[in-house]
Amino acid sequence: MSSAQQSPTRAKRVYIETFGCQMNVADSDIALARLNEAGYQEVSDADQADLIIYNTCSVRDNAEAKIRGRLGTIKARKAKQPGLRVAVMGCMAQRAQGELLAAHPQLDLVVGTDQFVRLPELLLQVEEEGRLAATDFGDFESNGNWSTRRSDGVNAWIPVMRGCNYNCTYCIVPKTRGREKSRPPELIEAEAREAVAQGHVQITLLGQTVDAYGKTLGDGSNLARLLRRLHDIEGLKRLRFITSHPKDISDELLATMAELPKVAKHLHVPAQCGSDRILRLMGRRYTRAGYLDFVERARRYMPEVELLTDIIVGFPRESEEDFQATRSLMETVNFSGAYVFMYSPRPGTGAANLEDDVPMEVKKARCNELLNLQLEMQGAWYQGLHGRSFEILVEGLSKTNPDRIQGRSIGNLNILVDRYGADGEDRLAWTGQLVKVRITSSTSLSLFAEALSPAMVASGA
Ligand code: 5AD
Ligand code: SF4
């Protein structure tokens, strides 16, 4: 008998573990809010739970391997506690669907990326009918203003569109999240107002290709107009968005970013590669010159815009020459940050038909080389910032040192400041405030600053 059946009066307890991107984090928050409405209580210890949910990622095989590991571990516990319910949601659930149920008898429920808002009903269905997979694509974006459970903190993540209409040949996302779907702007505004009223003074709009926002609505909505609509919400201090596709960044968007003071001067625009031959095989729909043209345009509107990239090394047929083209693209652009990934074939994608022919040692060496290059360039850039002043939005304690607080510039610079002032003031109280600081030192990973006096920026803008 399950512990829930032994004590029917106590609320059921749910534990959720989230893998992958911020969209998954946002989806887990919606799932938790729905379960909470249905009487579930969230617990932070999986051992206490009657229901365990893994919100999964499929983007590379190592993400899926972690989840397979979790499902292996849970098998023994389920044998001892048959009333325990185990669910998988997110991209791996959508990709593998019924296969997951067949391979893992300890699994009760597989919930797709458009079905997780129905978790409470689906769990009841499991009790009545047994194990099931619910993975139809739907359009919950347009017809629901789903409540969400937000963690405390300065930032609120707000999904504005889901899915992707590109079809990059390495990428599983169009399969796992379906076609692009945008949420109506009035629902987004209502959610943003509520988040700000709850104290989230920074909003980050989320979408797989967030700069394509609005296309599917057919009413002239676009990201530039959405930024404008949200910008003047009282109490809002910063407005960010991720992730962009270079082809969808319009001049209107760049001009709007430059004009609106609360909008971060930051673009996460994956280049993926610097070789035309590989870009074509990847189906990215731009050339190296096209990407550089975008960079030039962005910097024309915002000379100090920070550009963050994703790079894939070891895509099928990537030669040394192709790799050097990526290296030189990174040197030319001088990105503010780079995520570098080793290519991982994903079942059912276009590139899965190409032989994964770059040996693992070569992938690793190329990955390390680009990470080192990025660190070198970043270190030199940070050195050049010594003595410069920034307005940072304080986000809280440093993740690695409780004697420091951390904040972000209007770009995306993470800046660390001593937590205690000379007068003993605990500056953790500055969380959520805009504060003036001056950079004093740096490593290639971190920037350190002193608070200027007076530190506090007067208005909320
Ligand atoms: N292998 C390696 N990296 C991948 N990405 C997406 N698909 C794959 C894959 N099959 C990377 C891309 C994308 C980021 C989220 O993950 O760089 O921008
Ligand atoms: Fe994947 Fe390409 Fe869509 Fe990004 S734009 S989610 S890489 S298919």
Side-chain angles (χ1 to χ4, degrees):
M1 258 220 298
S2 77
S3 48
Q5 283 164 331
Q6 283 160 1
S7 51
T9 50
R10 112 166 141 65
K12 288 201 179 179
R13 295 171 177 163
V14 53
Y15 172 82
I16 189 159
E17 185 173 2
T18 307
F19 299 83
C21 65
Q22 289 306 332
M23 189 66 86
N24 267 11
V25 174
D27 286 352
S28 286
D29 285 347
I30 295 175
L32 279 167
R34 299 261 31 227
L35 288 165
N36 192 259
E37 285 157 13
Y40 282 81
Q41 180 199 340
E42 184 187 356
V43 289
S44 55
D45 175 4
D47 291 339
Q48 305 268 316
D50 311 294
L51 167 64
I52 294 182
I53 303 176
Y54 298 112
N55 189 359
T56 60
C57 172
S58 270
V59 78
R60 282 168 291 276
D61 186 63
N62 55 10
E64 291 203 353
K66 265 193 224 157
I67 293 142
R68 290 193 291 267
R70 292 291 193 283
L71 289 173
T73 320
I74 211 74
K75 200 169 179 177
R77 181 165 161 206
K78 177 96 181 199
K80 282 192 232 136
Q81 187 189 342
L84 175 71
R85 294 287 169 257
V86 183
V88 169
M89 63 182 266
C91 285
M92 188 179 178
Q94 190 66 43
R95 185 188 74 68
Q97 308 195 354
E99 273 173 42
L100 274 175
L101 281 185
H104 301 283
Q106 66 278 35
L107 198 54
D108 298 288
L109 180 59
V110 173
V111 195
T113 50
D114 274 357
Q115 295 289 331
F116 64 92
V117 288
R118 296 178 51 226
L119 262 166
E121 299 98 276
L122 292 168
L123 285 160
L124 287 176
Q125 206 178 326
V126 166
E127 297 312 318
E128 283 160 18
E129 297 164 24
R131 311 166 69 223
L132 66 95
T135 51
D136 287 351
F137 280 127
D139 191 6
F140 78 88
E141 283 84 357
S142 62
N143 48 32
N145 203 10
W146 305 104
S147 50
T148 187
R149 112 45 182 109
R150 290 188 198 286
S151 318
D152 293 340
V154 168
N155 186 71
W157 306 100
I158 300 190
V160 300
M161 53 94 73
R162 287 182 165 84
C164 180
N165 279 1
Y166 285 91
N167 220 342
C168 302
T169 57
Y170 51 82
C171 187
I172 195 77
V173 166
K175 276 203 157 13
T176 60
R177 292 206 168 256
R179 306 283 296 165
E180 179 184 308
K181 288 148 287 184
S182 292
R183 294 174 68 198
E186 56 279 10
L187 289 188
I188 297 167
E189 184 185 338
E191 190 174 339
R193 285 191 181 279
E194 191 183 305
V196 174
Q198 290 166 352
H200 302 281
V201 293
Q202 173 172 278
I203 283 175
T204 307
L205 307 177
L206 293 177
Q208 268 77 33
T209 53
V210 70
D211 46 337
Y213 171 76
K215 279 187 189 168
T216 56
L217 295 173
D219 61 357
S221 296
N222 65 21
L223 184 60
R225 281 170 218 154
L226 183 64
L227 293 174
R228 220 173 262 292
R229 180 171 185 143
L230 303 180
H231 187 263
D232 293 331
I233 293 179
E234 207 175 316
L236 176 69
K237 295 184 181 172
R238 290 267 168 87
L239 188 51
R240 299 178 175 274
F241 57 89
I242 53 172
T243 298
S244 304
H245 189 288
K247 273 192 85 70
D248 290 316
I249 297 189
S250 64
D251 281 313
E252 183 190 1
L253 177 60
L254 292 171
T256 306
M257 289 174 72
E259 178 197 326
L260 299 179
K262 295 179 190 172
V263 175
K265 310 305 177 235
H266 171 241
L267 285 163
H268 183 180
V269 197
Q272 309 295 6
C273 180
S275 149
D276 284 341
R277 202 173 72 91
I278 300 295
L279 283 170
R280 205 166 40 245
L281 286 173
M282 286 179 163
R284 285 294 285 175
R285 306 194 211 172
Y286 54 82
T287 58
R288 176 194 179 90
Y291 190 87
L292 289 173
D293 179 58
F294 145 72
V295 171
E296 196 270 319
R297 267 194 316 130
R299 288 183 171 156
R300 200 167 351 114
Y301 283 95
M302 293 170 283
E304 291 209 303
V305 68
E306 288 172 30
L307 301 174
L308 176 63
T309 191
D310 296 351
I311 299 284
I312 298 176
V313 294
F315 188 82
R317 303 184 193 168
E318 183 185 72
S319 65
E320 183 58 28
E321 199 186 339
D322 295 317
F323 170 67
Q324 288 306 330
T326 300
R327 192 189 155 99
S328 89
L329 181 84
M330 288 178 68
E331 285 167 335
T332 307
V333 176
N334 201 356
F335 289 104
S336 66
Y339 297 107
V340 184
F341 305 106
M342 292 186 282
Y343 171 69
S344 163
R346 311 308 300 127
T349 57
N353 300 322
L354 302 173
E355 189 192 345
D356 181 20
D357 58 359
V358 178
M360 187 46 106
E361 317 83 74
V362 176
K363 283 185 187 171
K364 278 190 186 149
R366 289 179 181 170
C367 187
N368 285 335
E369 186 176 330
L370 295 188
L371 287 170
N372 287 334
L373 170 68
Q374 179 60 32
L375 276 185
E376 244 172 66
M377 294 193 302
Q378 220 167 281
W381 173 43
Y382 284 4
Q383 286 269 330
L385 296 176
H386 294 187
R388 286 252 333 243
S389 303
F390 289 94
E391 241 178 45
I392 62 170
L393 177 62
V394 178
E395 292 182 337
L397 276 187
S398 148
K399 294 206 173 51
T400 51
N401 183 343
D403 287 335
R404 294 209 178 96
I405 55 167
Q406 172 268 324
R408 263 195 292 170
S409 67
I410 189 71
N412 195 40
L413 292 170
N414 265 304
I415 298 179
L416 300 162
V417 181
D418 282 343
R419 172 170 173 183
Y420 299 102
D423 54 0
E425 178 187 16
D426 185 351
R427 295 163 169 171
L428 188 56
W430 292 357
T431 301
Q433 302 290 331
L434 289 167
V435 164
K436 278 184 263 170
V437 302
R438 181 164 46 222
I439 307 294
T440 51
S441 64
S442 63
T443 65
S444 44
L445 284 173
S446 309
L447 284 159
F448 303 94
E450 60 186 358
L452 293 175
S453 182
M456 218 59 78
V457 175
S459 87

